[in-house]
Amino acid sequence: MRFAIALVAVSLAAIAPVTSHAQQRPDEQNEARRDLRSGQVRSLRDIERRVLPTKPGMQYLGPEYDPTALVYRLKFIRDGRVVFVDVDARTGQVLGESR
């Protein structure tokens, strides 16, 4: 019985969507919060709301934040290929994509 419960829990964890904020390292989260509170950058939710709809068919894996450049790097995957989308954290404008 315990094995069955553990198997169900593992299965559910495997299919549950990962929240984007869980992908960031704690220091990135703290720096992003600091910059958001100071008014330097837009919220990650706002940036995701703008960018994610422009990537249909791609699975969103999460963000990274570069506090020096004030850039979010959003990571996607499609057909086994990883795509990075760099977004200006101040304006929300897409700066470029790399594969």
Side-chain angles (χ1 to χ4, degrees):
M1 182 66 169
R2 286 183 185 160
F3 176 75
I5 292 171
L7 183 59
V8 168
V10 169
S11 297
L12 289 175
I15 61 172
V18 176
T19 61
S20 59
H21 302 285
Q23 297 291 319
Q24 289 184 288
R25 294 187 326 262
D27 56 324
E28 286 178 0
Q29 288 179 353
N30 291 335
E31 291 167 338
R33 281 188 199 110
R34 180 196 66 223
D35 292 344
L36 178 63
R37 280 193 303 269
S38 72
Q40 287 185 302
V41 300
R42 293 177 178 265
S43 73
L44 176 59
R45 289 185 194 268
D46 182 44
I47 288 172
E48 289 171 337
R49 216 177 347 231
R50 293 168 176 257
V51 177
L52 270 57
T54 68
K55 304 297 174 201
M58 299 181 108
Q59 181 183 358
Y60 180 47
L61 300 176
E64 291 181 10
Y65 179 66
D66 181 342
T68 304
L70 297 177
V71 170
Y72 277 107
R73 173 167 272 191
L74 306 183
K75 186 176 180 181
F76 296 86
I77 190 165
R78 175 197 239 162
D79 300 327
R81 299 188 86 118
V82 175
V83 176
F84 296 100
V85 178
D86 293 331
V87 181
D88 185 318
R90 293 166 291 194
T91 66
Q93 296 296 320
V94 172
L95 300 172
E97 283 188 25
S98 58
R99 296 174 195 259

